[in-house]
Amino acid sequence: MEYSFKEIEKKWQSHWSKNQTFRAEENADKPKYYVLDMFPYPSGAGLHVGHPLGYIASDIVSRFKRHKGYSVLHPMGYDSFGLPAEQYAIQTGQHPAVTTKENIARYREQLDKIGFSFDWSREVRTSDPEFYKWTQWIFLQLFDSWYNTETQKAESISSLVEHFETKGTEALCAHVEEQKDFSAADWSSMSEAQKEAILQDYRLAFRSESTVNWCPELGTVLANDEVKDGMSERGGYPVVQKKMMQWSMRITAYSQRLLDGLEQIDWTDSLKESQKHWIGRSEGAYVNFKVKGSGQNIKVFTTRPDTIFGVSFMVLAPENPMVEELTADIYRSSIKKYQEVAARKSERDRMADVKTVSGQFTGAYAIHPFSGKEIPIWIGDYVLASYGTGAVMSVPAHDARDYAFAKQFELDIPQVVEGGDITKEAFEAKEGKIINSDFLNGLPVQEAIKKAIEKIEELGIGQHKVNFRLRDAIFGRQRYWGEPIPIYYENGIAKPVRLEHLPIELPKVDAYLPTKDGQPPLARSTNWNYDPAKGVVPNGEGFPLELTTMPGWAGSSWYDLRYMDSTNKERIVGKDSEQYWQNVDLYIGGSEHATGHLLYTRFWHKFLFDIGYITSEEPFKKLINQGMILGYSAIAHREDGTNTYWSKNLAKGKKTTPIHVDVNMVNASDELDLDAFKTWRDDLKDAEFKLEEGKFKVSREVEKMSKRWYNVVNPDDIVEQYGADTLRMYEMFLGPLEQSKPWNTAGITGVHNFLKKFWRLYTANENGISEEPATEKELKILHTLIKKVNSDIENYSFNTSVSAFMICINELSALNCNKREVLEPLVVLLSPFAPHIAEELWYALGKTEGISLELFPECNEAFLVENSFEYPVAFNGKMRFKESLPLSMTKNDVEEHIMKQEKTIEYLGGKSPKKVIILPGKIINIVV
RNA sequence: GCCCUGGUGGUGGAAUUGGUAGACACGCAGGACUUAAAAUCCUGUGAUCAGCAAUGGUCGUGCGGGUUCAAGUCCCGCCCGGGGCACCA
């Protein structure tokens, strides 16, 4: 019987689908296991072979856990709001929903062919109103919350209002950008608009005038993690800084908890490091410096208060609002000029040139709080307006940036920490003794830091402070294809839409572009006003609705919860379902989401936890980043100025232009199919080809898999040619899951041959399946595999499992094993990896129930016991020969035996051994 | 610059707590079956030296040191690739 994978795979895929084999159930008798893949954005290009890598791994774990008796939740869905569909809509006028639906259908078709055990009944799409209703709901909860720094959790805005009404800001512990000071009486005398303006500073979803990353090309603002090297991550367009009224998320309230939570979760070090850096906790102090001849203070943040006697100048960010007042008249024009130049510099320019030191003296002086010395005040663009207080005390002897600035402008460099050579460079190490520093003299740095802060607090000129690098996340996008923000404006005051009116669905618009006067596309709708009594009403009635939409990360920040109870109409997730599934046990996806999605999701979960809707604070217990599958680009060499192509080895030394060739026209030996190539593009019809040994060879290069490089390999083609089971096992066999690697089809026949061999073991024996008991040898082979596969899956080491299967099958085939006692457990072992062939053979063994719930074989160590061991015998650590000895032999007996061996005597060459090391069951080493 | 990673045959990659380096697979070479091809199966395959051969010697996990009876694995100092952060005071 042939292994006809096409027939088998089709048959079982439709069987599983019809019987809902993988439907997840809240079964109180079973432990739960939740395995999640990062859901894809359904792009028009469809899946390439890189996408399924993580899905295959998670599918193996899911199937494995089902075999182990767990109730497994393994869902899939689509992150279906996003820029490409909208850009396409702008170009073609087609509604993004239509494009998205088509793309999803294509993705689904491709996914289905690979035989994943997803529970499709729980599918979610972020662009589905039934889903984004709850995204909007969460937004409104955030809008209605503030962060209490005393209880360390989010609370309802009503409790804040109550506090204001009774005590004003007295004894208020709240996360807020700038502490406020007013009494209960002040509060009650305020207008509604004034009150609301104050509340905006406390709300976790809030509006504020802030500097944003504006991308003119995309016509929208972007979050920090969406900007890479001053360019937009999607599309690669330039990004500039701009002040705008914007919706934001107060993620900074959760900085410390986001940091602390990392300790409880099982993520890779590199990922945790990325998040730690992004959050960027630094501990130090605020210090106020009096400005000479004015009542003003300049507040700075420093992590090195111990070096305060080393301050020789101060630098403010050019954007710092104090600059205006401080500047002496004679410097006014040069300060203004400097500010203008700094403002014109884009983020990108500023980064491109970190070496150039620039700045301008303001003419003003500060007074040193301890020494009373006058300190010149400068402005410089190395000081950022958005971090700390937008001003620094410069200690050039102990900070490299201050040092460069001091050198450039010939300012003093007083040393206050012993060590280094400050004539050459700043001494930045946090070690050594303090000198030239009055009451700090002689103290080691760490103690001096404490002492300095004590003194600063004692004198009331500053206080201990923890600062974070993390910024609040910009939340509004001037785009169409996203969740509408459920806010309307009554007399200019932002008010929440009533919950019963959710979802606020995207309106119809005549085009997906901004309006002529620069308003977001939603302004084009003629039906975009709101009446609290009626809901959405035509323009002209009610109040105007918010025009911006939510960013791409909104829906993905909580979708993992929705899978637990995807059809619930009452809550984001039902209480019982949430209790049962809790959180994701294993999350698999790319590492590019380290500081975006993964941080935002943790933030929203902590918030939902605070307000009592979920019981787990961390969404993902264990996270694995699968490596990227890279393309193996094929390159033909065209001689410059001609239409002549030279085969790889002939092209050397010639002036040629590399031309990317579609990898599907190149075979595993790098030979190009010339007939196909000639019809690929018009200009190739008449091209001339210089062959080597009758073949045309291409060069190879490893690049990101992309249409642009013609190196995309489609999983459908692999499935068509070799079957889904081969694709699954081959992707795993390629190497460790976390590692990036180029896709190279060369080795796929090895895996395919293995499956054929596996098939033959069950079907090719002339005596059929034998009911006789298996031999010891056969059982040993089987149980070795059982042990290996169990531990490999637990360790996510799938490539080594595949090897173990190959070894096992090679050995059993050599023995011509056809015992049911071996073949039955064997097929269960294979089923997580190659489920179709396993299911087929399972039924062929006479089973009538599906394989997926069959218990996974457990290793019986008794079959693995060895009674002898082939000792490697080494001399001075070099293995020379082997000697098989019973494991029951004592050390002394082994030594006695081995020393008598002819070979031992030969290798000793008459010398007597200094030492003989015997490790039972491991090695014998003789030291000469 | 800082932080994480990784570097092993022609190729992808294996190697518990330090204990036989190169499992498994690809590729390549040779062979069997076949009119032929496909499919399948068998043998060999890190480099190098000696030998007709069986076999044996030497070298070998990015580089240079070190610890150890023994180092791909541990320590110190470098080099290179990949990823992240980047004037964060």
Side-chain angles (χ1 to χ4, degrees):
Chain A
M1 204 174 22
E2 277 287 292
Y3 168 42
S4 42
F5 54 83
K6 270 187 203 166
E7 219 172 280
I8 292 170
E9 292 177 358
K10 213 171 151 188
K11 172 171 146 197
W12 293 112
Q13 281 164 11
S14 74
H15 175 92
W16 295 329
S17 159
K18 225 184 289 162
N19 291 281
Q20 304 207 48
T21 309
F22 306 114
R23 202 180 172 110
E25 276 173 4
E26 286 162 35
N27 182 341
D29 299 332
K30 283 184 175 185
K32 68 97 190 184
Y33 200 84
Y34 185 0
V35 188
L36 184 64
D37 297 289
M38 288 186 186
F39 61 169
Y41 172 78
S43 82
L47 293 172
H48 62 65
V49 288
H51 291 101
L53 182 71
Y55 305 161
I56 293 167
S58 66
D59 198 58
I60 290 170
V61 174
S62 301
R63 289 175 180 268
F64 173 73
K65 290 288 178 182
R66 281 189 205 99
H67 285 300
K68 286 279 183 179
Y70 286 83
S71 180
V72 172
L73 173 54
H74 185 40
M76 181 48 85
Y78 306 94
D79 188 11
S80 48
F81 273 133
L83 283 178
E86 180 159 356
Q87 296 291 65
Y88 189 72
I90 290 169
Q91 286 158 24
T92 62
Q94 185 174 156
H95 196 288
V98 177
T99 319
T100 302
K101 204 173 159 192
E102 286 170 5
N103 292 347
I104 287 177
R106 168 92 182 106
Y107 266 58
R108 177 63 191 272
E109 192 190 329
Q110 288 185 292
L111 289 170
D112 280 347
K113 283 187 186 164
I114 306 174
F116 293 120
S117 63
F118 294 128
D119 176 357
W120 283 109
S121 71
R122 292 168 184 261
E123 181 196 298
V124 301
R125 301 176 183 192
T126 54
S127 62
D128 180 351
E130 279 309 303
F131 181 90
Y132 71 67
K133 168 182 177 178
W134 296 106
T135 312
Q136 292 175 333
W137 179 89
I138 295 170
F139 176 91
L140 290 179
Q141 301 307 309
L142 285 155
F143 180 77
D144 192 43
S145 300
W146 63 291
Y147 196 82
N148 185 328
T149 52
E150 193 181 13
T151 58
Q152 280 294 321
K153 58 185 277 205
E155 288 179 19
S156 166
I157 276 288
S158 60
S159 70
L160 181 68
V161 171
E162 201 184 304
H163 191 109
F164 287 158
E165 281 167 353
T166 53
K167 293 181 243 169
T169 53
E170 197 193 327
L172 178 67
C173 296
H175 180 91
V176 62
E177 197 104 330
E178 216 166 307
Q179 294 297 338
K180 299 176 196 310
D181 187 16
F182 56 81
S183 66
D186 294 338
W187 175 258
S188 64
S189 68
M190 286 180 205
S191 70
E192 193 191 354
Q194 282 171 324
K195 283 181 180 170
E196 183 50 40
I198 285 177
L199 290 178
Q200 283 292 342
D201 290 344
Y202 293 87
R203 294 185 187 278
L204 296 183
F206 64 102
R207 246 160 71 91
S208 69
E209 167 101 318
S210 52
T211 309
V212 298
N213 304 303
W214 174 257
C215 178
E217 204 71 31
L218 294 172
T220 191
V221 300
L222 298 168
N224 288 341
D225 68 283
E226 292 170 316
V227 182
K228 292 259 180 293
D229 299 331
M231 309 290 258
S232 66
E233 196 182 24
R234 291 239 167 168
Y237 304 115
V239 172
V240 298
Q241 302 299 301
K242 190 176 166 183
K243 278 219 168 216
M244 272 179 95
M245 200 63 179
Q246 273 305 319
W247 281 100
S248 295
M249 285 286 160
R250 210 176 297 282
I251 188 171
T252 50
Y254 284 86
S255 301
Q256 189 63 51
R257 278 169 69 190
L258 287 168
L259 199 58
D260 295 343
L262 290 173
E263 302 300 319
Q264 303 155 24
I265 50 184
D266 185 6
W267 292 14
T268 61
D269 285 347
S270 71
L271 203 64
K272 286 188 184 184
E273 274 315 302
S274 292
Q275 290 213 346
K276 271 185 202 165
H277 274 144
W278 192 262
I279 296 167
R281 184 184 197 273
S282 62
E283 202 167 346
Y286 279 147
V287 188
N288 283 302
F289 284 70
K290 280 207 175 76
V291 177
K292 185 188 162 196
S294 93
Q296 294 271 26
N297 273 318
I298 294 176
K299 191 176 182 185
V300 301
F301 174 70
T302 177
T303 55
R304 297 293 304 273
D306 55 312
T307 63
I308 194 157
F309 286 93
V311 175
S312 62
F313 58 98
M314 305 194 75
V315 184
L316 307 189
E319 304 88 341
N320 191 314
M322 290 187 74
V323 174
E324 181 69 30
E325 291 175 59
L326 290 175
T327 304
D329 287 340
I330 50 163
Y331 291 103
R332 207 161 282 278
S333 69
S334 31
I335 285 284
K336 189 143 197 169
K337 209 162 133 202
Y338 185 79
Q339 285 176 319
E340 275 164 11
V341 172
R344 264 208 309 278
K345 269 198 208 172
S346 68
E347 187 97 338
R348 191 178 167 73
D349 295 337
R350 246 164 113 152
M351 279 191 302
D353 142 65
V354 287
K355 283 185 191 104
T356 314
V357 179
S358 69
Q360 173 61 48
F361 182 45
T362 61
Y365 291 86
I367 306 293
H368 193 284
F370 294 115
S371 71
K373 276 188 191 147
E374 292 188 0
I375 310 165
I377 302 169
W378 289 66
I379 64 170
D381 69 0
Y382 82 94
V383 176
L384 305 175
S386 59
Y387 184 76
T389 60
V392 301
M393 58 173 227
S394 298
V395 184
H398 307 289
D399 180 285
R401 294 152 304 167
D402 296 344
Y403 188 87
F405 196 87
K407 281 278 176 195
Q408 175 77 27
F409 298 108
E410 296 176 347
L411 299 159
D412 285 349
I413 306 179
Q415 184 166 12
V416 291
V417 184
E418 244 172 21
D421 177 4
I422 64 149
T423 60
K424 293 205 182 84
E425 58 181 1
F427 176 65
E428 293 187 286
K430 277 189 163 185
E431 60 194 30
K433 276 198 176 119
I434 304 291
I435 51 173
N436 306 326
S437 298
D438 192 9
F439 64 93
L440 295 174
N441 280 337
L443 292 174
V445 167
Q446 293 304 335
E447 277 176 47
I449 291 176
K450 276 186 216 151
K451 178 101 184 230
I453 294 175
E454 267 170 40
K455 195 86 175 177
I456 286 163
E457 290 189 336
E458 198 182 304
L459 294 178
I461 53 169
Q463 68 273 312
H464 174 252
K465 170 73 185 174
V466 175
N467 243 326
F468 293 93
R469 202 188 71 105
L470 186 67
R471 304 288 85 202
D472 283 331
I474 305 290
F475 199 70
R477 295 289 182 276
Q478 290 66 21
R479 307 289 304 197
Y480 176 78
W481 193 230
E483 301 88 344
I485 292 179
I487 291 287
Y488 67 97
Y489 295 91
E490 191 178 326
N491 306 321
I493 299 173
K495 296 205 164 169
V497 161
R498 298 175 65 153
L499 294 182
E500 64 262 35
H501 291 139
L502 297 183
I504 299 294
E505 289 194 43
L506 273 172
K508 283 204 176 70
V509 290
D510 57 352
Y512 303 96
L513 285 165
T515 61
K516 283 206 184 86
D517 52 349
Q519 296 262 59
L522 291 190
R524 292 174 175 272
S525 171
T526 54
N527 193 45
W528 199 236
N529 274 16
Y530 182 77
D531 181 333
K534 295 190 214 157
V536 178
V537 291
N539 297 355
E541 299 176 35
F543 306 106
L545 274 161
E546 169 65 41
L547 297 178
T548 59
T549 52
M550 299 189 199
W553 53 268
S556 60
S557 294
W558 74 281
Y559 77 112
D560 55 297
L561 295 171
R562 192 62 182 166
Y563 284 130
M564 296 177 186
D565 193 11
S566 61
T567 54
N568 195 310
K569 300 252 183 229
E570 309 303 321
R571 288 167 71 99
I572 48 168
V573 50
K575 271 189 179 171
D576 294 342
S577 299
E578 197 276 332
Q579 284 282 346
Y580 186 75
W581 299 112
Q582 296 174 40
N583 55 8
V584 176
D585 293 279
L586 175 65
Y587 195 31
I588 298 186
S591 58
E592 66 274 20
H593 300 290
T595 51
H597 163 62
L598 289 172
L599 199 59
Y600 296 130
T601 307
R602 294 184 58 226
F603 161 42
W604 279 26
H605 278 66
K606 285 175 191 300
F607 170 71
L608 292 169
F609 172 83
D610 284 356
I611 63 169
Y613 277 83
I614 59 174
T615 55
S616 303
E617 203 173 324
E618 287 290 342
F620 314 119
K621 273 193 255 186
K622 162 95 187 162
L623 184 138
I624 297 180
N625 292 128
Q626 94 272 24
M628 205 193 311
I629 297 242
L630 300 163
Y632 198 46
S633 304
I635 291 158
H637 302 277
R638 186 180 65 199
E639 191 174 350
D640 289 356
T642 69
N643 201 11
T644 304
Y645 289 79
W646 295 85
S647 185
K648 178 181 160 189
N649 294 307
L650 303 173
K652 282 172 193 156
K654 294 198 172 58
K655 283 200 170 156
T656 58
T657 306
I659 307 287
H660 276 79
V661 170
D662 191 326
V663 289
N664 296 301
M665 296 185 300
V666 180
N667 71 9
S669 310
D670 297 346
E671 293 156 12
L672 179 63
D673 178 345
L674 286 181
D675 292 336
F677 187 56
K678 281 178 186 164
T679 58
W680 192 45
R681 267 183 357 208
D682 271 356
D683 63 307
L684 297 167
K685 256 192 319 226
D686 316 311
E688 205 183 317
F689 296 91
K690 303 285 186 188
L691 312 180
E692 52 182 303
E693 290 162 18
K695 312 272 190 197
F696 187 90
K697 293 205 166 194
V698 295
S699 312
R700 292 290 198 164
E701 209 157 302
V702 174
E703 290 168 308
K704 204 170 164 176
M705 206 173 265
S706 150
K707 263 185 178 174
R708 184 174 168 208
W709 304 122
Y710 302 105
N711 60 5
V712 174
V713 181
N714 186 308
D716 305 18
D717 296 342
I718 307 288
V719 169
E720 177 68 23
Q721 203 178 343
Y722 298 100
D725 285 337
T726 299
L727 173 74
R728 290 169 65 106
M729 289 199 94
Y730 184 58
E731 292 222 5
M732 292 300 103
F733 188 57
L734 231 36
L737 183 59
E738 281 109 322
Q739 198 171 300
S740 287
K741 53 232 154 186
W743 176 263
N744 187 345
T745 328
I748 200 166
T749 52
V751 172
H752 192 60
N753 284 343
F754 156 75
L755 285 174
K756 282 198 270 192
K757 211 165 167 181
F758 192 97
W759 178 261
R760 276 201 304 276
L761 194 63
Y762 286 75
T763 59
N765 198 302
E766 21 190 89
N767 303 318
I769 302 296
S770 162
E771 305 296 332
E772 276 171 45
T775 63
E776 255 179 56
K777 203 170 176 184
E778 288 166 336
L779 287 172
K780 189 174 161 192
I781 294 169
L782 173 69
H783 283 262
T784 305
L785 180 68
I786 292 174
K787 190 174 178 179
K788 179 80 177 144
V789 170
N790 268 289
S791 73
D792 277 353
I793 297 180
E794 300 281 3
N795 293 312
Y796 314 103
S797 176
F798 305 107
N799 55 329
T800 51
S801 301
V802 178
S803 307
F805 274 114
M806 288 172 170
I807 294 167
C808 174
I809 295 305
N810 287 344
E811 289 175 356
L812 289 178
S813 297
L815 295 175
N816 218 354
C817 175
N818 66 338
K819 313 277 171 57
R820 178 177 293 275
E821 197 185 345
V822 172
L823 297 187
E824 246 177 45
L826 183 60
V827 74
V828 179
L829 286 176
L830 187 73
S831 101
F833 296 84
H836 309 89
I837 191 175
E839 192 85 271
E840 177 72 19
L841 292 173
W842 183 247
Y843 278 85
L845 285 168
K847 302 290 178 181
T848 51
E849 293 283 331
I851 197 170
S852 66
L853 295 177
E854 185 67 20
L855 279 183
F856 212 64
E858 293 288 340
C859 172
N860 183 344
E861 295 279 346
F863 295 121
L864 303 182
V865 173
E866 300 268 358
N867 32 36
S868 73
F869 179 72
E870 197 171 33
Y871 279 95
V873 183
F875 290 79
N876 292 333
K878 270 184 195 163
M879 205 278 286
R880 294 303 183 181
F881 65 93
K882 286 180 188 174
E883 183 73 11
S884 192
L885 296 171
L887 277 163
S888 55
M889 253 174 127
T890 63
K891 262 192 184 184
N892 286 340
D893 290 347
V894 170
E895 180 167 350
E896 201 178 315
H897 175 91
I898 212 75
M899 293 315 291
K900 274 193 249 160
Q901 293 305 301
E902 212 175 288
K903 283 191 174 166
T904 310
I905 294 160
E906 200 183 309
Y907 278 106
L908 281 172
K911 290 175 210 147
S912 61
K914 261 190 215 159
K915 203 171 172 187
V916 180
I917 290 153
I918 293 159
L919 278 115
K922 280 237 167 101
I923 199 166
I924 297 166
N925 191 17
I926 298 167
V927 187
V928 187

